[in-house]
């Protein structure tokens, strides 16, 4: 798939830092979800923010999902930097890079959850999800439907599933187009999302390009 088909636009450092600063981080043991992690800009900003606080967590675990193989090497390097940052601050750091489709993987949890056997694995989620229309007869759409999520765009699918993976009191910060706020298309998503999450803060970026940086990884020939 091309970068465009993957919805691959990386978050500029300043925007990632701003997003990371919005977390309260009340827990001493942070389990962070980075779904559609790219090169890991969001995770790195999150770790930097956690490390610079007076009240630092004692443990930080990150799970990063990414489908695009060529960006994984950069993502691994980011995790190594995060490891060093945390070590310097006496924070135990652990990470898992999952080279997998987030929608498919999250579905396994949602299925277990229906039988009451799953424990929500995260207390923080930081996302800049891929934006792409999902065809009504696609596999992704079927997966989402199976989870009871009716939506026509990948980003709302990511948000709805990330919300399901958060424990009570968990926090999520995400960049999204503002289109989900109105109109009938996104009504089922709003119902699902706002049924389990409360909005604490909305920040409106002046332009879409202000919150985007071009992907810097090139596919090998
Ligand atoms: C908008 S980019 C954001 C990347 C990174 N989080 C950042 O903020 O710089 C979305 C990322 O999601 C990845 N992606 C697209 N579809 C995915 C899927 N189904 N599962 C996991 N990752 C996916 C893309 O390859 C891309 O790297």
């Amino acid at each position: 798939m091309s970068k465009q088909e993957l919805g691959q636009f990386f978050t500029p450092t300043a925007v990632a830092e701003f997003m990371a600063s919005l977390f309260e981080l009340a827990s001493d043991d942070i389990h962070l979800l980075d779904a559609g992690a790219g090169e890991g800009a969001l995770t790195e900003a999150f770790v930097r923010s956690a490390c610079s606080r007076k009240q630092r967590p004692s443990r930080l675990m990150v799970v990063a999902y990414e489908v695009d193989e060529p960006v994984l090497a950069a993502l691994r390097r980011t995790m190594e930097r995060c490891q060093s940052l945390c070590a310097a601050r006496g924070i135990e750091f652990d990470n898992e890079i999952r080279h997998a489709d987030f929608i498919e993987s999250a579905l396994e949890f949602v299925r277990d959850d229906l039988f009451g056997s799953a424990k929500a694995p995260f207390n923080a989620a930081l996302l800049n999800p891929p934006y792409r229309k999902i065809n009504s007869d696609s596999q992704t759409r079927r997966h989402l439907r199976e989870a009871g999520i009716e939506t026509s765009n990948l980003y709302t699918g990511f948000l709805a599933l990330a919300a399901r993976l958060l424990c009570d009191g968990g926090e999520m910060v995400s960049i999204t187009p503002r289109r989900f706020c109105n109109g009938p298309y996104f009504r089922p998503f709003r119902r699902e999302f706002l049924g389990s999450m409360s909005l604490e803060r909305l920040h409106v970026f002046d332009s879409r390009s202000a919150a985007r940086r071009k992907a810097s990884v090139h596919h090998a020939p």
Side-chain angles (χ1 to χ4, degrees):
M1 265 204 252
S2 69
K3 304 257 168 227
Q4 202 163 5
E5 282 168 322
L6 284 166
Q8 199 166 74
F9 294 96
F10 296 152
T11 311
T13 307
V15 174
E17 281 172 355
F18 165 67
M19 292 169 72
S21 75
L22 299 177
F23 282 88
E24 207 176 294
L25 297 189
S27 171
D28 186 46
D29 187 5
I30 303 291
H31 289 238
L32 173 71
L33 167 68
D34 187 346
E39 296 178 346
L42 297 180
T43 287
E44 187 163 10
F46 185 95
V47 169
R48 279 188 190 284
S49 171
C51 284
S52 68
R53 294 181 188 213
K54 245 197 231 148
Q55 200 77 27
R56 289 193 283 276
S58 55
R59 182 162 181 262
L60 216 162
M61 161 73 187
V62 181
V63 176
Y65 285 91
E66 177 53 59
V67 276
D68 192 27
E69 224 272 324
V71 303
L72 295 180
L75 181 56
R76 269 182 226 114
R77 286 194 294 276
T78 301
M79 293 299 182
E80 282 162 18
R81 285 196 299 278
C82 291
Q83 173 84 61
S84 309
L85 282 168
C86 285
R89 295 288 177 156
I91 299 173
E92 189 189 330
F93 180 78
D94 214 345
N95 76 92
E96 204 180 310
I97 294 174
R98 297 186 184 161
H99 181 209
D101 181 320
F102 172 64
I103 304 271
E104 256 180 67
S105 308
L107 199 60
E108 285 167 29
F109 169 83
V110 171
R111 276 196 205 108
D112 288 349
D113 196 33
L114 285 175
F115 297 105
S117 59
K119 188 174 161 283
F122 302 104
N123 53 13
L126 183 51
L127 284 83
N128 181 355
Y131 320 134
R132 179 163 51 82
K133 262 200 164 300
I134 327 172
N135 292 334
S136 54
D137 57 351
S138 66
Q139 171 102 315
T140 305
R141 192 71 175 259
R142 278 196 296 277
H143 282 320
L144 287 168
R145 238 178 238 143
E146 212 183 302
I149 297 165
E150 202 49 65
T151 190
S152 55
N153 201 298
L154 208 49
Y155 80 90
T156 35
F158 266 59
L159 290 185
L161 284 170
R164 298 243 190 126
L165 299 181
L166 281 178
C167 64
D168 279 352
E171 300 178 86
M172 181 191 302
V173 175
S174 177
I175 296 190
T176 71
R178 57 185 114 167
R179 228 166 302 147
F180 81 86
C181 296
N182 58 309
Y185 278 133
F186 289 106
R187 188 171 293 135
F189 165 74
R190 288 197 295 274
R191 221 174 258 142
E192 150 93 26
F193 192 71
L194 298 173
S196 63
M197 304 285 288
S198 58
L199 281 177
E200 294 283 324
R201 177 162 170 174
L202 285 171
H203 177 91
V204 180
F205 289 100
D206 288 339
S207 72
R208 196 177 276 200
S209 57
R212 285 179 168 187
R213 158 166 79 84
K214 282 222 176 75
S216 62
V217 168
H218 302 285
H219 288 271

